[in-house]
Amino acid sequence: IHFHSFLDTLYLFALALLRLTIQPIRSEDKSMDKNEKDPPISRRGFLKKGAKVGLGAAALTGLDTPAASAQGRVRWDREADIVIAGAGASGLCAAISARDNGATVIAIDENHDIGGHSMVSGGNVPLGGGTSLQKKYGVMDSADQVFLDHTNHRNQEFRHSDRDLVRVWADENAATFEFLIENGVKFNDGPPRILNRAPNPIPQGSVPRLFTTQVYSKDLNETIAGSNGSGFARPLEKSARAKGVEILLRHKLTAIIREKPSEGRVLGITATVGNKKVNIRAKKGVIIATGGHTSNVEFRRMFDPRLTEEYQTTGEPWSKQTADGEILALGIGASLWCTSNQNDGAGTPITKT
């Protein structure tokens, strides 16, 4: 992921896919025998079954850490149907979607406030496919056109995109934009723009899709120095809390707990608050939305050895991308993919200042 305000390229963040992460919660799956193991699911099958994976910083996970190898050995301090690590844009959208489908939700964040990188971003949201605001300004667009634009082989950022994921994301563009509006996000008046980012000579689309959120208020503490991203994060926080999402701040993810080190169900997470460890049981699932890894020098240099410590990352010191979620997942055999855009040479230039 390039070192820039991440909402300026929201397609990487994949809120459209996060919105679909939570399916209606069922108390019991009667179609599977109790002794039968979950069948393996291919990537294509995974998408078709409706559990959608984000292209960038967030993903529904069945991963864990060997911190605890059996449910009986864990003393649970809290519990909810869905437990989310990260209360930024992805985490808040996932939390709202879970509540909309009847799940109880606990979301944690290591910061003293919500929002993550989205809070200090430019608030730019290039979602299209025929949104209500596009139609208001006479812009003709479709999910098919979104797909074609974001798999354009001439665009250095898009040529390596996973076509299955882009197809799902494109189909959900418009619905996700309306989801944001329904949950209080307001956009500045004016027609949409086409996103252009030097030195990439190819525009980020063939039709205007880019709208920018309004600054949430005149309170610089509330908006973190008046950022447009506050108009994205604060309304989602307000909606999440109003719908019953419990948000625990200053809680740092330190472990993902599974029945056994490399098999069985994910049971929950361990978070650290101060010097205390808190075990939170997830009855239905755990979502990792911890923001990425670009603040972790050694981790990011696995993908591009040029990214040494003198290169800064946007969003700091408000929000860091420490790779916590990725490291915990990789520790039990998970894999990272869709990372080629990190060093493809396109997009906003990476500088040392």
Side-chain angles (χ1 to χ4, degrees), residues 18-203:
L18 252 295
R19 192 181 61 83
L20 294 177
T21 295
I22 305 300
Q23 300 301 307
I25 302 299
R26 296 178 297 175
S27 61
E28 181 181 6
D29 187 349
K30 297 181 180 180
S31 64
M32 182 174 292
D33 183 83
K34 294 181 179 179
N35 296 321
E36 182 182 355
K37 294 183 178 179
D38 293 341
I41 301 177
S42 67
R43 181 177 65 192
R44 186 178 297 274
F46 184 65
L47 291 173
K48 289 182 178 179
K49 286 179 179 295
K52 306 303 188 292
V53 180
L55 290 174
L60 176 67
T61 182
L63 306 175
D64 76 330
T65 183
S69 59
Q71 181 176 4
R73 300 179 186 177
V74 180
R75 180 177 178 179
W76 300 108
D77 301 295
R78 311 288 291 271
E79 74 171 28
D81 292 327
I82 302 295
V83 176
I84 301 170
S90 289
L92 290 171
C93 285
I96 293 169
S97 295
R99 287 296 300 137
D100 287 345
N101 282 283
T104 57
V105 181
I106 292 176
I108 70 167
D109 199 287
E110 66 176 310
N111 203 357
H112 67 280
D113 201 351
I114 60 90
H117 272 37
S118 68
M119 179 64 79
V120 290
S121 75
N124 295 315
V125 182
L127 291 171
T131 68
S132 58
L133 287 187
Q134 281 183 306
K135 293 175 181 178
K136 175 182 177 180
Y137 291 100
V139 176
M140 301 296 293
D141 198 5
S142 68
D144 287 343
Q145 190 59 55
V146 172
F147 175 77
L148 292 173
D149 287 344
H150 290 82
T151 53
N152 184 350
H153 71 278
R154 296 180 300 164
N155 190 306
Q156 296 179 59
E157 291 188 83
F158 299 156
R159 64 177 57 167
H160 300 300
S161 296
D162 183 286
R163 297 176 71 86
D164 290 340
L165 285 174
V166 175
R167 180 71 258 181
V168 176
W169 174 80
D171 290 342
E172 292 299 322
N173 254 226
T176 299
F177 192 87
E178 304 309 323
F179 169 89
L180 297 177
I181 293 176
E182 291 167 4
N183 284 281
V185 176
K186 296 180 180 180
F187 294 90
N188 290 328
D189 291 333
R193 312 185 306 277
I194 293 179
L195 178 63
N196 289 283
R197 194 165 66 246
N200 192 342
I202 307 299

Side-chain angles (χ1 to χ4, degrees), residues 221-263:
N221 291 319
E222 189 174 43
T223 63
I224 316 304
S227 68
N228 285 88
S230 65
F232 190 94
R234 290 299 182 199
L236 292 177
E237 175 196 18
K238 182 178 179 180
S239 178
R241 292 187 185 277
K243 291 182 177 182
V245 175
E246 183 177 5
I247 300 175
L248 305 178
L249 300 174
R250 296 187 174 89
H251 281 63
K252 179 178 177 61
L253 175 70
T254 54
I256 306 172
I257 303 171
R258 199 172 185 177
E259 288 177 330
K260 295 182 180 180
S262 60
E263 63 181 16

Side-chain angles (χ1 to χ4, degrees), residues 246-314:
E246 183 177 5
I247 300 175
L248 305 178
L249 300 174
R250 296 187 174 89
H251 281 63
K252 179 178 177 61
L253 175 70
T254 54
I256 306 172
I257 303 171
R258 199 172 185 177
E259 288 177 330
K260 295 182 180 180
S262 60
E263 63 181 16
R265 292 176 56 85
V266 173
L267 304 175
I269 65 171
T270 299
T272 300
V273 51
N275 296 321
K276 180 183 178 181
K277 289 186 176 181
V278 179
N279 294 321
I280 306 175
R281 182 188 177 201
K283 294 187 289 185
K284 298 294 183 179
V286 171
I287 296 174
I288 304 302
T290 48
H293 62 259
T294 51
S295 298
N296 187 321
V297 175
E298 297 307 317
F299 197 94
R300 75 194 190 200
R301 291 190 71 199
M302 290 192 295
F303 307 102
D304 190 337
R306 299 171 296 176
L307 300 180
T308 48
E309 62 274 4
E310 62 267 31
Y311 288 94
Q312 301 176 24
T313 305
T314 56

